[in-house]
């Protein structure tokens, strides 16, 4: 059994959550994919997948082995690039993670430009409103918003964002503009539950922290939905500045309570350190840092 080939097949099945899907993407027959995974399971002495007629999912052992497999394949590819002297020419798969809306608004267009410049690079994105482990998920580059914990990762600061309160001009014409955080109790509040949910919103008043208890009438699980609700004049909300900056610039939304805003939070581009950091990672980090630093909405 070619273990490296078997590991590649295993990872593809895990990514596709389907033996048939993996077979199509790898140009193999479904029986060959099934046989490869079965031989790998036999060699390891454990089941990697739970297989039924409707679903293919990883076992606990499979989830652990998937993280190890991604690292093995990434290390092998980088070693091959170094041995071939190809570090100057980006190639291979670039894996990127970022918050959902930041990924759509900023990472996606920057990534598109990058892929046009370097046709030998492929890309895979993981847009989530939570942090994932770069090591466990074999991520090359991550966008992190907020202060970072100490770690062995390399972090490059490339901008700032801040929490902003906002509403539509139509809403304010009908209901008035809150002049103080306490006034929010008289308004329709729309809360995002895309990240950790709190029943308090924090502000700064006269240089001191100030918290107010909120009672949202509407809770929505995506930031896109919150923005759409507020643009239509059905309430006021609070998100990061980058998420609504274009709509504020267009006049479709209006920022409020700016004198009570919290201090800005940093944006970092994060990647793993190592002696064999691939050309694609180094090139992309330089590329995206330059683009983000130049964006007026992130400074």
């Amino acid at each position: 059994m070619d273990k490296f080939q078997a590991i590649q097949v295993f990872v593809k099945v895990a990514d596709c959550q389907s033996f048939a899907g993996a077979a199509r993407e790898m140009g193999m027959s479904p029986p060959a994919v099934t046989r490869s995974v079965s031989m790998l399971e036999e060699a390891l002495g454990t089941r990697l997948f739970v297989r039924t007629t409707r679903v293919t999912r990883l076992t606990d052992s499979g989830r652990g082995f998937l993280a190890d497999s991604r690292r093995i394949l990434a290390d092998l590819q980088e070693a091959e690039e170094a041995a071939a002297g190809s570090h100057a020419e980006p190639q291979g798969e670039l894996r990127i993670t970022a918050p959902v809306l930041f990924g759509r608004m900023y990472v996606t267009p920057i990534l598109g430009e990058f892929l046009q410049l370097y046709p030998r690079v492929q890309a895979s994105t993981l847009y989530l409103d939570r942090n994932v482990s770069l090591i466990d998920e074999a991520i090359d580059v991550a966008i992190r918003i907020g202060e970072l914990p100490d770690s062995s990762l390399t972090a490059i600061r490339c901008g700032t964002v801040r929490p902003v309160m906002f509403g539509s001009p139509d809403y304010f014409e009908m209901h008035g503009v809150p002049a103080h955080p306490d006034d929010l109790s008289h308004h329709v509040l729309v809360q995002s539950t895309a990240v950790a949910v709190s029943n308090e919103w924090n502000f700064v008043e006269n240089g001191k922290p100030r918290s107010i208890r909120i009672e949202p009438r509407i809770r929505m699980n995506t930031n896109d939905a919150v923005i759409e609700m507020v643009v239509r004049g059905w309430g006021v909300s609070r998100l990061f500045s980058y998420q609504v900056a274009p709509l504020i610039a267009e006049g479709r939304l209006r920022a409020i309570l700016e004198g009570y805003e919290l201090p800005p939070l940093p944006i970092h581009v994060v990647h793993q350190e190592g002696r064999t950091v691939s050309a694609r990672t180094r090139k992309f980090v330089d590329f995206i840092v330059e683009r983000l630093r130049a964006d007026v909405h992130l400074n």
Side-chain angles (χ1 to χ4, degrees):
M1 177 182 64
D2 183 338
K3 281 193 176 180
F4 281 119
Q5 170 71 9
I7 289 172
Q8 288 176 318
V9 172
F10 160 70
V11 171
K12 184 60 69 175
V13 172
D15 288 343
C16 295
Q17 297 183 358
S18 165
F19 280 71
R24 283 193 299 271
E25 292 201 14
M26 299 190 75
M28 299 172 63
S29 69
V33 169
T34 301
R35 191 161 51 248
S36 179
V37 172
S38 296
M39 292 174 66
L40 185 59
E41 289 177 325
E42 185 177 348
L44 295 172
T46 186
R47 293 185 67 186
L48 300 174
F49 293 103
V50 174
R51 304 190 274 278
T52 70
T53 55
R54 292 187 175 182
V55 93
T56 298
R57 59 181 175 83
L58 290 163
T59 62
D60 289 341
S61 296
R63 281 190 289 273
F65 189 65
L66 178 61
D68 292 335
S69 296
R70 291 195 195 281
R71 286 195 295 270
I72 290 168
L73 295 177
D75 288 345
L76 176 62
Q77 185 174 29
E78 289 169 2
E80 289 175 344
E81 290 176 3
S86 59
H87 263 257
E89 176 62 27
Q91 60 181 305
E93 185 180 22
L94 181 69
R95 292 176 57 83
I96 306 158
T97 187
V100 174
L101 206 49
F102 195 96
R104 178 175 68 78
M105 295 174 65
Y106 293 95
V107 177
T108 294
I110 292 172
L111 177 60
E113 292 181 47
F114 184 80
L115 294 176
Q116 280 191 315
L117 289 174
Y118 301 104
R120 297 179 68 187
V121 176
Q122 301 89 45
S124 175
T125 63
L126 186 62
Y127 294 160
L128 297 169
D129 285 324
R130 59 178 175 81
N131 290 346
V132 297
S133 168
L134 272 66
I135 295 173
D136 291 346
E137 298 290 341
I139 298 293
D140 297 301
V141 181
I143 308 300
R144 298 281 194 250
I145 296 175
E147 299 297 338
L148 297 175
D150 292 335
S151 74
S152 61
L153 301 175
T154 297
I156 304 171
R157 184 166 172 148
C158 55
T160 60
V161 296
R162 65 192 193 284
V164 296
M165 291 292 310
F166 60 93
S168 73
D170 289 344
Y171 176 89
F172 293 134
E173 183 176 350
M174 182 174 296
H175 300 281
V177 180
H180 187 276
D182 289 341
D183 296 340
L184 294 175
S185 61
H186 305 297
H187 288 267
V188 177
L189 304 185
V190 185
Q191 185 180 34
S192 170
T193 60
V195 293
V197 179
S198 171
N199 59 3
E200 292 186 339
W201 278 348
N202 298 318
F203 297 89
V204 173
E205 185 174 10
N206 299 322
K208 297 180 180 179
R210 170 76 189 278
S211 297
I212 66 162
R213 187 174 182 84
I214 60 169
E215 295 183 6
R217 183 179 182 190
I218 307 166
R219 293 182 173 89
M220 311 189 82
N221 71 320
T222 71
N223 295 326
D224 278 325
V226 169
I227 292 169
E228 182 67 19
M229 181 68 73
V230 176
V231 164
R232 290 177 178 272
W234 293 330
V236 297
S237 189
R238 184 184 215 182
L239 292 173
F240 281 131
S241 53
Y242 79 84
Q243 296 168 326
V244 293
L247 292 170
I248 290 175
E250 294 170 8
R252 298 177 65 192
L253 291 176
R254 174 181 169 184
I256 60 173
L257 303 178
E258 293 171 286
Y260 301 91
E261 288 179 357
L262 296 172
L265 296 171
I267 304 170
H268 289 95
V269 174
V270 178
H271 64 92
Q272 296 183 53
E273 293 182 322
R275 58 183 177 81
T276 59
V277 173
S278 66
R280 65 181 177 275
T281 297
R282 290 186 288 107
K283 287 282 189 182
F284 183 72
V285 166
D286 291 343
F287 191 83
I288 194 170
V289 166
E290 180 182 3
R291 293 298 193 279
L292 294 179
R293 284 177 173 172
D295 194 295
V296 296
H297 296 315
L298 303 178
N299 295 286

